Amino acid sequence: MEKWRISRHIVKRSSTSLFKSLLSTNFEKSINTSGSTYKSGRNCNPYVEHYFQCQKRHFQTCCHPLRDYTGNLHASKATNLEHICRIQYKSFGSVATQIQRNPSFSTLNSDDVDHFKKILGEKNVIQDEDRLLTANVDWMGKYKGSSKLLLQPRSTEEVSQILKYCNTRCLAVVPQGGNTGLVGGSVPVFDEVIINVGSMNHIISFDEVSGILVCEAGCILENLDSFLVNHGFMMPLDLGAKGSCQIGGNVSTNAGGLHFVRYGSLHGNVLGLEAVLANGTVLDMLGTLRKDNTGYDLKQLFIGSEGSLGIATKVSILTSPKPSSKNLAFLACKDYLSCQDALDSFTVYLQVYMPLDVGAKGSCQSGEMYQQCWRFAFGLEAVLEMVLCLTCLGLCAKIIQAMTDNSYLSGSEGSLDVATKFSILTSPKPSSKNQLFLLVKIILAVRFMMPLDLGAKGSCQIGGNVSTNAGGLHFVRYGSLHGNVLGLEAVLANGTVLDMLGTLRKDNTGYDLKQLFIGSEGSLGIATKVSILTSPKPSSKNLAFLACKDYLSCQKLLQEAKRKLGEILSAFEFLDSQSMELVLTHLEGVRNPLPPSIYEFYVLIETRGTDESYDKEKLEAFLLRSMEGGLIADGVVAQDINQASSFWRIREGLSEALVKAGAVYKYDLSLPIEKMYSIVEEMRLRLGQSEKVLGYGHLGDGNLHLNISRPNYDDSVLAKIEPFVYEWTSKHRGSISAEHGLGLMKANEIHYSKSPQTVQVMASIKKLLDPNGILNPYKVLPHNILYPEA
Ligand code: FAD
Ligand code: MLT
Ligand code: ZN
C-alpha cells in the first residue's frame, strides 16, 4: 500500500561552493532523494508496548494499542450490525486519557444506514471491513476505533444532510481527511460514524492575479501544489504527509510544516472557509478577499479546531508565486549550542556583514553570488524575528515613529554597531516594564520594525489596530494581524481577564480564541496587552512613483510586480487623477513629482530588502521592462528619504485632504482586483459630473477606498450612494469593510458581506462573552439580531 508517502523535495542545486567559501565548513552536495514509503499497521514502538503492558496491569485487563480495551461489556443486541459496546474504556497514551463512551450517544442501526444510502447512494456508504479497518486506524497504528460506517459525501449539501440526521439521532461522528494526524484525532475512539470528505476534491477557482485558490476540502495537498506549479504558484504550506493529507485536514489542525518560517501560519493564509456545523447548518465564510473586516473573523475559530466545531468543506487560500531558485544546505553541528550559533552567525553574516564586508573582502565577485546570499538570508530572517510584548498600548505611535526613521536608499543601517546587535539578540529577559520598553525601543531602532504602517500611525494605538484588524500600507508584504499577533490579553465585559498573551509562533492547543478579538472592534472585550511578531528592519528601501494610462495597466503592473519583485515588494498603492487633484488642492507643500499631464492613475511601488544595489537593480530592471511594455506611462524613483517621504505624503495625505475639502462619504471595499475600479466609474455615472468621486487604496490587497467628496452632507446624495454601493459590492462577492471595521456606520449592513447563519453565530458569541451587551453597544452587529425582543 503506497498511501503514506513522503513526497520528494525538489532541491534544485546545493550551493556548496558558495557556503564553503563563506564559512569554510565541510559540505556534502545534497542529492535528490526519492520519496520514502511508509505503511500503516507496522510494528509498535516497544516503549508504547511497554506502556500498554503497564496499563494492562493497572486495569487488570488486556490492552494492546491496536486493540480496544473493553470493560463492562453491554453488547447491544438491538441491532444486526454486530454488537457495539455501550460502555468502553480506552487508554491510549496516558492514564489521564481513559475514556468512557458517552452513554447519551445512540448506536448505529440498519435504519440509519438505509437513510445514509438514500442521501449518498450505496457506494458512498462504506461497510466493507477492510476499508473500515484502514479508516479506523491512525497513521501511526497507535489508535484504533471500531466504527462500523464510513461515509463519503460529495458535496457540502450531503455533509449537511448527514450531520442534520446524526444530530437528531444523537449519533457521534468523526471528521476524517487524509488520516495522517499524529494525535489520534482523525479516527473514531468508539463507534463514531466516520465522515471523510476525500471525494470533495475539486478545485473551484484559481486567480492568477491574486494567487487565491478556492477548492474543496478533500483536495490532497500535493495535488494542489502540482496544479499550482503549472501556473507559477505554490501552496504556502508543505509537509511530509503532503501525498495523503487533505487541505481540510491541514486547516482543521492548523498545520505548520516546513515553510512556516517563510510563509507563516494558516491563520494568515486561509482567506475563507465553508464549514458545516453539528446541526447541519452551512456556514459560508468562503471569502476570497485578502481583507474583510465585517464582524468577527469566525473562520479563525475553525482553523485548528480539529473537527470539534464543524466539518470544513471548502477552503480559499492565498498561494505564493513559486520562487525561481531554491537552495538547500544540509549541515552537521556537534551540539545544540552550535546549531544556535550557526543560525545567529548565518543571519548576522548574511544580513548585516554581507552588504558591507563581502564585497570588500573580494569573496563576493558576482551579482549572482549576492543574490544567493540574499535569498538564503531571506529564508532565515524570519527565524530571528523578535517577539515583543508591548505592555503599554500607548506605545504604538512612538514605536512606529522610531521604526519609520529609516533612510531610503542610504544603506547606512547596515553599518550599525554589530556589537549592539549581538547584545540585543542575547539580552536576558527584561525584568521590569521599563526595561522592556527600553529594549523594545532599542530593538526597533536597530533591527526590527512593526509589520503594519498606516497614515494614522502618529495617533493610533496598538490595541486599536488589533481591535480593528488594521491593514495599512505594507499588508501586501507582511500580511494580516491575524498572522502577526501572537498573543493578546483582553478583559471581558464581566471583568474576567483572558490571558492569551502567548509569545509562541506556533500554538495549537485548542481554539485560537485571540483571533476572535482581532477585528472585533471592542465589542467582545478590551485589549490590554499585545504580543506581536515584528519583522527584521530592511536595510534598503526603494520607492517609485509611477503614472499609468488606465486601470488595466495598473492591474497588469501589479501582476508583474508580484512576479518580478517577489519577496522584496512591500507596497503597491494607487490613486486616480481625481485623488491627485484633491491632494494638490488641499494639502500645503504637496507637489506632483511627475510633470503635469493627463495621466488617469498613479501607482506607488515600494521595495524592502537587505541589499541596496541588488534591490535597486531589480526594481530598475522591472520598471524598464514595464515601461517598454507600455504598462508604465511615466515614473520617477525617489533618490533620498526626503523624496520618498514626499511621494508617500501624496498617498497618505488623502484622508486629511478629504476632511479639509468638506463632507465625505467614505467606503472601504474589498473587491476582486479586476472589478475594483468599476464601482468608481459606475458611481460617477450615477451621481453625475457635479459630484467628486475618488478612488484610491491598497491595490495589492484588492482594497479600494471609494470616497465621495462634497462641500456638505446631503441626504438626497446619500440616497443615491447607499444601498447601491453595498448591493454592488455584495453582488461581486466583495466586503463592505476591508480594513476599517463596521462600527456604527455599517453595523446594520453586515448582511451584505456575511451570511445570516454566520451573523447568528457571531451574535451567540457576543452573548456568550457579553451577556448584557455593555461593550461598545450598537456597533458591529445589528441590534435587532442581538436583541430581537427589544
Ligand atoms: P480607535 O479609533 O480609538 O478605535 C477603533 C475601534 O477599536 C473602536 O471600535 C474601539 O472601540 C476599538 N478599540 C480601540 N482600542 C481598543 C482596545 N484597547 N480594546 C478593544 N477595543 C478597542 N486603517 C487601516 O486599516 N488602514 C489604513 O491604511 C488606515 N489609514 C488611516 C489613515 C488616517 C489618516 C486615519 C485617520 C485613519 C486610518 N485608518 C486606517 C483607520 C484607523 O487608524 C485604524 O482603524 C486604527 O487601527 C484605529 O486605531 P485607534 O487606536 O485609533 O483605535
Ligand atoms: C488609507 O488607506 O488611506 C486609509 O485607510 C484611510 C482612508 O481610507 O482614508
Ligand atoms: Zn486604507
Side-chain angles (χ1 to χ4, degrees), residues 67-336:
R67 282 175 38 205
D68 298 342
Y69 160 49
T70 308
N72 298 331
L73 286 182
H74 296 281
S76 163
K77 304 270 195 269
T79 95
N80 55 2
L81 284 166
E82 294 194 24
H83 47 259
I84 304 289
C85 312
R86 278 259 182 256
I87 301 175
Q88 290 179 323
Y89 294 91
K90 295 239 167 178
S91 65
F92 286 120
S94 76
V95 181
T97 57
Q98 300 159 35
I99 310 167
Q100 185 183 343
R101 185 182 185 278
N102 183 342
S104 62
F105 291 145
S106 310
T107 301
L108 191 76
N109 63 34
S110 53
D111 289 346
D112 300 328
V113 176
D114 289 344
H115 186 83
F116 291 130
K117 284 182 178 164
K118 266 189 225 138
I119 300 173
L120 304 175
E122 292 265 346
K123 76 175 188 350
N124 294 313
V125 177
I126 314 291
Q127 293 175 286
D128 171 71
E129 276 188 13
D130 281 349
R131 291 182 67 188
L132 279 170
L133 186 68
T134 315
N136 265 310
V137 184
D138 78 312
W139 183 79
M140 291 179 295
K142 194 169 159 190
Y143 301 90
K144 187 190 175 214
S146 49
S147 175
K148 301 291 171 211
L149 196 65
L150 164 65
L151 301 178
Q152 296 180 320
R154 289 153 303 172
S155 67
T156 304
E157 184 46 34
E158 287 183 358
V159 176
S160 168
Q161 286 184 43
I162 293 168
L163 285 181
K164 219 176 267 173
Y165 180 79
C166 291
N167 192 44
T168 43
R169 273 276 294 128
C170 211
L171 279 170
V173 306
V174 55
Q176 187 175 78
N179 199 7
T180 60
L182 299 174
V183 290
S186 54
V187 291
V189 178
F190 297 101
D191 56 340
E192 298 89 289
V193 173
I194 303 167
I195 302 178
N196 191 311
V197 296
S199 303
M200 294 178 61
N201 56 7
H202 299 106
I203 288 169
I204 298 166
S205 65
F206 177 65
D207 179 345
E208 294 212 18
V209 181
S210 61
I212 296 165
L213 173 82
V214 185
C215 65
E216 289 185 311
C219 289
I220 290 187
L221 179 60
E222 191 170 45
N223 295 346
L224 291 176
D225 210 44
S226 308
F227 165 84
L228 290 170
V229 165
N230 299 326
H231 298 267
F233 281 80
M234 53 172 275
M235 289 296 279
L237 84 158
D238 184 10
L239 46 154
K242 66 171 163 240
S244 302
C245 63
Q246 298 172 6
I247 189 69
N250 301 146
V251 170
S252 303
T253 53
N254 186 25
L258 307 168
H259 295 143
F260 186 98
V261 73
R262 165 76 185 269
Y263 300 103
S265 143
L266 286 175
H267 282 290
N269 293 319
V270 170
L271 302 182
L273 197 64
E274 181 188 77
V276 185
L277 301 185
N279 63 4
T281 302
V282 178
L283 274 196
D284 178 1
M285 306 168 288
L286 195 65
T288 52
L289 307 168
R290 279 217 72 182
K291 289 174 164 180
D292 176 12
N293 276 358
T294 49
Y296 313 145
D297 194 352
L298 278 190
K299 69 169 184 293
Q300 300 289 352
L301 263 192
F302 291 81
I303 299 172
S305 68
E306 300 180 52
S308 67
L309 293 181
I311 297 186
T313 43
K314 288 179 191 142
V315 178
S316 116
I317 192 161
L318 185 69
T319 68
S320 300
K322 203 166 171 59
S324 51
S325 108
K326 290 189 199 175
N327 293 293
L328 181 67
F330 191 88
L331 317 173
C333 297
K334 68 174 189 309
D335 53 27
Y336 182 66

Side-chain angles (χ1 to χ4, degrees), residues 26 72 91 98 121 137 206 212 285 306 338 360 406 435 438 448 453 459 489 609 619 625 636 664 684 724 739 756 763:
N26 286 328
N72 298 331
S91 65
Q98 300 159 35
V137 184
F206 177 65
I212 296 165
M285 306 168 288
E306 300 180 52
S338 313
N406 296 330
Q435 252 182 300
L438 200 66
F448 287 86
D453 184 8
S459 313
E489 181 189 81
L619 177 67
R625 262 196 312 271
V636 51
V664 55
R684 278 189 190 130
F724 169 78
E739 58 172 12

Side-chain angles (χ1 to χ4, degrees), residues 393 453-456 459-461 463-465 467-473 521-522 525-527 652 655 698 739-740 776:
L393 296 177
D453 184 8
L454 50 159
S459 313
C460 62
Q461 299 176 1
N465 299 146
S467 303
T468 52
N469 187 25
L473 304 166
E521 301 180 54
I526 295 183
E652 290 191 271
S655 333
H698 316 285
E739 58 172 12
H740 294 165
N776 224 356

